[in-house]
Amino acid sequence: MLFAFGGGFVGVPLLYRMLLSSHGADDGVAQSAMHIAVATSTCVMIVNALMATGKHRRAGNLIRHYLWPLGGYIGLGAIAGAVLAMAVSGEAMRYAFIAYLALTIADCLMRRGFLEQGDTRAPRCLRRLEITGGLGIGAMAFAVQTLGSLLGMRLASPWIGRIPDRRHARVYIGLLVLVR
């Protein structure tokens, strides 16, 4: 959890492989393995996001008028994603996950300010692209891996702020490449 990473990029492939290996190819669980893995990861993300939002709210770090519009778009995206996920095959979900992972790696490498210190400009209003991004974020499915995630957060919390930003960013990209 120190790298905002684990429940999804590590957990999805791990749970997918575990479900495939523990059930026969004709078994319904194996055929739905990718759906189950993504849904589980999404539930963990929801719990983690709620906890992080609560901490940031208590610390006074949130811009309130951004929250409800963004939350609404994420909710709409979650509904659309759940409907779409039920309509596609597990194989299509797997390739979509691989594409998402590749895009994340590319974004990390090309986004200005990710590997270097970002600027300190004042926040601005949400744009259509960011609203669409909120819909995309919410478009993932649902389920339960929360206990391990909470434990990971607890174990990682003493390290937050102690690792230099540049090293943190490089290790994050290395972890993304490793799980790919």
Side-chain angles (χ1 to χ4, degrees):
M1 298 308 121
L2 180 60
F3 293 97
F5 171 104
F9 289 134
V10 172
V12 168
L14 185 64
L15 185 55
Y16 173 74
R17 295 284 180 211
M18 184 189 77
L19 290 169
L20 284 180
S21 67
S22 64
H23 293 80
D26 294 332
D27 188 271
V29 172
Q31 292 174 356
S32 300
M34 196 63 187
H35 290 82
I36 294 167
V38 170
T40 300
S41 174
T42 302
C43 278
V44 172
M45 283 189 267
I46 290 168
V47 171
N48 290 345
L50 289 172
M51 289 181 58
T53 301
K55 279 188 171 188
H56 282 286
R57 184 187 60 76
R58 287 188 296 278
N61 296 333
L62 298 180
I63 302 171
R64 285 189 157 296
H65 66 274
Y66 283 9
L67 296 180
W68 285 115
L70 185 59
Y73 293 122
I74 290 172
L76 289 173
I79 292 168
V83 170
L84 180 63
M86 291 187 299
V88 301
S89 70
E91 200 62 11
M93 291 273 292
R94 189 167 78 84
Y95 287 119
F97 181 81
I98 292 168
Y100 176 65
L101 180 58
L103 285 171
T104 302
I105 293 168
D107 176 60
C108 290
L109 293 173
M110 295 186 296
R111 186 177 356 131
R112 185 177 179 177
F114 186 79
L115 290 173
E116 298 92 33
Q117 187 68 20
D119 61 27
T120 56
R121 290 185 280 179
R124 56 180 169 57
C125 291
L126 294 175
R127 289 184 272 167
R128 187 177 308 265
L129 178 62
E130 292 156 336
I131 292 169
T132 304
L135 286 169
I137 291 167
M140 304 303 263
F142 276 74
V144 172
Q145 202 178 62
T146 304
L147 202 64
S149 174
L150 295 175
L151 177 63
M153 287 172 43
R154 182 73 152 168
L155 294 173
S157 63
W159 293 96
I160 294 173
R162 292 184 180 179
I163 298 174
D165 288 341
R166 190 169 181 85
R167 180 176 290 155
H168 187 277
R170 287 181 175 179
V171 170
Y172 178 78
I173 293 169
L175 289 170
L176 289 175
V177 171
L178 184 66
V179 299
R180 183 166 184 226

